[in-house]
Structure formats: C-alpha cells, structure tokens
Amino acid sequence: MPQIAQLAATYSSQIFWLLLTFGIVFFVIGLGMVPKVQSTVDARDKKIADDLEAAKANSAAADALEADWRAKENEARADAQAKLAEAKAKAAKDREAKLAKEDAAIGEKLAAAEAEIEAGRGKALGEIEAVAAEAAADIVRRLAGTDVSADAALKAVKAVI
Amino acid sequence: MAESGKIDPMHQFAIEPMFGTDHLAIGGYNIAFTNSALWMVITVVVLWVFMLGGMKRELVPGRWQAAVESMTGFIAKLTDENIGKGGRKYVPYIFSLFMFILFANLLGLLPLGVIGLHPFTFTSHFTVTGVLAILSFSIVLIVGFFKHGIKFFSLFIPHGTPLPMVLVIFPIELVSFLFRPFSLGLRLFVAMIAGHILLKVLAGFVINSANASPLWGGVVGIPSFALMIGVSALEVLVAGIQAYVFALLTSLYIHDAEHLH
C-alpha cells in the first residue's frame, strides 16, 4: 500500500502541497468568491421579495380603484334611475293635467251643446204648443162654432201634451 | 506497472515526484512536486474556473451561474440546518472543504487512462484526508474552547446524567469525541481507496482474461466490464456522498462547539 510504504518519504510533501492548495481554495474561493455569489443570491431574493411586495400593493390599489369605480358607477346608475323615475312621474302628471284640461274643455263643449239642444227643444216645443193651440182653437171653432180664447186653447194643449 | 501480465491495483496510489523536483525541500522537509500535488493544483484550477461562472452576478442567472449558486446555496442550507444560529460564518470553510473534496474525488475518477494520462485521487491518501480532518477538528476545538472555555467539557456529559454515571460516561464521551478526526479522515480515505482498487481489479480481470483466450474473455471479461460500468456509476455517487458526509460531519461537530448540545 503506497499510502503506508511511502509515508515517511512523502508525508511532508503531501501536507505542504495540501495546505498550500487548500489554503488557496479557502482564501481565494471560500472567502473571496463564495460571499459574492451568496450576496448575488441574497440581492436576487430581496429583489423578488420587493417586487412581490410592490405587485401586492399595486393589486390592492387596483382593487381599491375598482371598488371606488364600482361605487361611483352604482351611484350614477341610481342617479340615472331616479332621474328616469322623476321624468316618468312628471310626464305622467303632465299627461294627466292635459287630459283633465281636455276633459274639462270637452265637458264644457258638451254642456254647451246640450244646453243649445235643450234650448232648441224648448223653443220647438213652444212653437209646437202654439201651433197645436192654434190648431185646437181652429178645430173647436169649426166643430162647435164657438170661439175659444187662445189662452184657454194653450192651457188645454199644455195639459194634453 | 505490469510485470508479465500482472496488474498491481495499488500502483495507482503510488506517489511520484514530477519535473525533477525530487529533492525540493524546506527546512529539511521534502516538498517535492508530486503527481499528488499536481492533481491538487488541477483541482484548485478546475474549481476556480467553475466558480468563475458564478461571478457574473447577473440578476437572472444563466445555467453555469445557477449551478454555482445552487452549490453555495446547498452549503448555506447545510450550515443553517446543522449548525443553526451563527452557522453562516462557517460557509466559506465548509464550502471550500466540500468542493475541494468533491472535485478531487470526481477528477480522480476521470477515465484519462484512455488518452495515456494517469489521474490521481489524492483523497485516497490518509495523509491528505487526515490533514483535512485535523483542520476541521482544530476548528471545533478552537471555537469550542474560545466560546465556552472550560464549560466546553460539559459536551461530554449528556443532560440529566446522575452524578455516579458521569464518572463512567465522561471518559466514554471523551474518547468518542477524540475519535472524530480519525473517523472523519479514515472514512473518506477508505471509501476512495476501496472503489479505486475494485475498479482496477475488475479492469485487470478484463485485460488478463481477454489476453488468456477469447473464451475466457467472454466468460470473465465481459461480465467484469459490465460490472465496472456499474461500479463506476456507484463511484461517482460515492465521490459526492463522501464529500457531503465530510462537510456534514464537520458542520455537526461545529454545531457541538457552537451550542454544546
């Protein structure tokens, strides 16, 4: 086994070169390079954490903005609905008022027409009565030969009619 | 390597000085630049190139950068889970340990013999794994005594132990604690050497049986080769698991030093 057979001859060289090379590894790589690599990793982890944080904050802000917008929209919708209802109510009222007015005008016209008809009928009736009385007086004079006064004839006609 | 058709499965662990540096020394100690040292240097370079991909520091990582970041993230998670509070300051050490062992294990498994190079797995030498284990154990001792002083010894007394039992349990716990660096270093060493020997032995079966006759090549060589494929896949897994176990146990021991229980 060369490890034992050559021990006396080579141990000092082995230890010397090992300490030298491992020393280089430790001081140049272990102490020089590893912390830099590690700091790169740490910086990246921090960046990722920060970015995540910022994204979370942005998302929350967007949510708040959306909620705000929704509230505003709801408000606008309610407003519009109220305006619509108001307009509808106003239109209905207007229509009612107009209808009532028209109704009244029509009623008035109707009443006037009715009155006119009534007046016409009264007048016609009067004329008929006068003609009938005259005719009655005439019939009485011809049949009985007696004169009947116009008043009496009218009275008799009115009673019959 | 081969003497009259014999293949020595241990030869792959032999250390050979390279570039004529056999007698390079500091203060009387030989520090020859060996094949083992060469693969340590290769491991450092490959690991450094791998880590360069993580230095682009882009906000949206490419594949390479993501791979590097997944490795550092893996070790950071390991320390968070096993050391807990105050674990992050050990990330550079645990990461260096894990990646150094992982790359060494994987590079040692590369089939470079196909193009005439000889990969060398320096984690299959207990001089290497032992030093790494002692490094980890030293950190545990230094942190433990620096943070808790003499109270660090209370680590060896489980909660609610009756006083007479303390006298028995304390030495047992102390011994098990002192065995930690050995189990840490030996586990990696044994896992790597066993896998490599197994692969070499199977490779020897393939070559020797094929050389003997086409019949033996078919009966022994082909099943051995099929087994080698499976064992190679297993070894890649072991390379990762052993590096992970080393890093995991180190962080568990550091947890004891940081928080006692």
Side-chain angles (χ1 to χ4, degrees), chain A residues 1-3 6-7 11-14 16-18 21-22 26 29-30 33-34 36-41 44, chain B residues 10 15 29-33 36-37 40 55 57-59 69 72 92-93 95-96 100 124 127-128 131 193:
Chain A
M1 200 186 248
Q3 282 89 337
Q6 293 184 310
L7 183 60
Y11 78 96
S12 54
S13 147
Q14 287 278 75
F16 172 80
W17 288 106
L18 175 69
T21 50
F22 187 69
F26 178 65
I29 293 171
M33 292 166 124
V34 171
K36 279 181 189 152
V37 174
Q38 208 57 29
S39 75
T40 310
V41 175
R44 179 181 313 123
Chain B
M10 301 309 286
I15 296 171
Y29 290 102
N30 180 287
I31 55 157
F33 189 81
S36 174
M40 290 176 195
M55 301 303 285
R57 318 196 64 180
E58 279 165 10
L59 188 63
E69 282 171 3
T72 61
Y93 175 69
F95 183 82
S96 305
F100 190 63
S124 64
T127 42
V128 170
V131 168
I193 195 174

Side-chain angles (χ1 to χ4, degrees), chain B residues 134-257:
Chain B
I134 288 166
L135 269 180
S136 288
F137 196 65
S138 307
I139 289 172
V140 170
L141 288 181
I142 291 165
V143 169
F145 281 111
F146 186 76
K147 263 196 99 146
H148 304 290
I150 202 76
K151 263 183 69 190
F152 185 54
F153 284 107
S154 72
L155 179 64
F156 308 130
I157 307 164
H159 275 300
T161 314
L163 194 63
M165 292 300 288
V166 168
L167 297 173
V168 185
I169 285 174
F170 186 86
I172 294 174
E173 288 279 332
L174 182 64
V175 168
S176 87
F177 179 76
L178 292 178
F179 259 97
R180 282 175 176 184
F182 294 98
S183 67
L184 201 56
L186 285 175
R187 182 179 292 111
L188 176 59
F189 153 66
V190 166
M192 296 323 292
I193 195 174
H196 282 265
I197 289 174
L198 185 57
L199 281 174
K200 265 306 183 287
V201 168
L202 289 172
F205 284 173
V206 174
I207 290 164
N208 286 334
S209 65
N211 283 342
S213 74
L215 177 68
W216 282 119
V219 174
V220 176
I222 290 172
S224 295
F225 189 71
L227 191 58
M228 272 185 81
I229 294 171
V231 171
S232 294
L234 185 70
E235 280 307 301
V236 173
L237 186 69
V238 168
I241 286 174
Q242 287 304 324
Y244 174 64
V245 165
F246 207 106
L248 178 69
L249 286 177
T250 298
S251 59
L252 284 175
Y253 296 161
I254 290 174
H255 169 266
D256 283 350

Side-chain angles (χ1 to χ4, degrees), chain A residues 51-137:
Chain A
D51 284 1
L52 272 177
E53 195 92 349
K56 224 173 257 175
N58 281 347
S59 165
D63 279 353
L65 217 61
E66 201 203 325
D68 201 35
W69 171 81
R70 205 171 283 273
K72 246 181 210 161
E73 205 206 37
N74 282 349
E75 202 175 301
R77 189 168 295 175
D79 202 33
Q81 226 128 32
K83 259 185 193 152
L84 193 70
E86 199 184 325
K88 250 186 203 163
K90 201 179 158 210
K93 223 174 173 182
D94 273 7
R95 202 174 54 211
E96 226 156 80
K98 230 176 225 173
L99 263 171
K101 205 170 146 199
E102 290 295 310
D103 214 32
I106 290 165
E108 217 167 278
K109 234 180 213 171
L110 209 68
E114 255 167 24
E116 209 171 303
I117 290 164
E118 197 63 36
R121 204 166 69 152
K123 201 176 159 197
L125 213 62
E127 268 167 27
I128 287 167
E129 273 171 4
V131 171
E134 218 170 287

Side-chain angles (χ1 to χ4, degrees), chain B residues 38-51:
Chain B
L38 174 69
W39 282 90
M40 290 176 195
V41 171
I42 291 171
T43 301
V44 172
V45 171
V46 173
L47 181 54
W48 181 70
V49 169
F50 173 73
M51 289 303 290

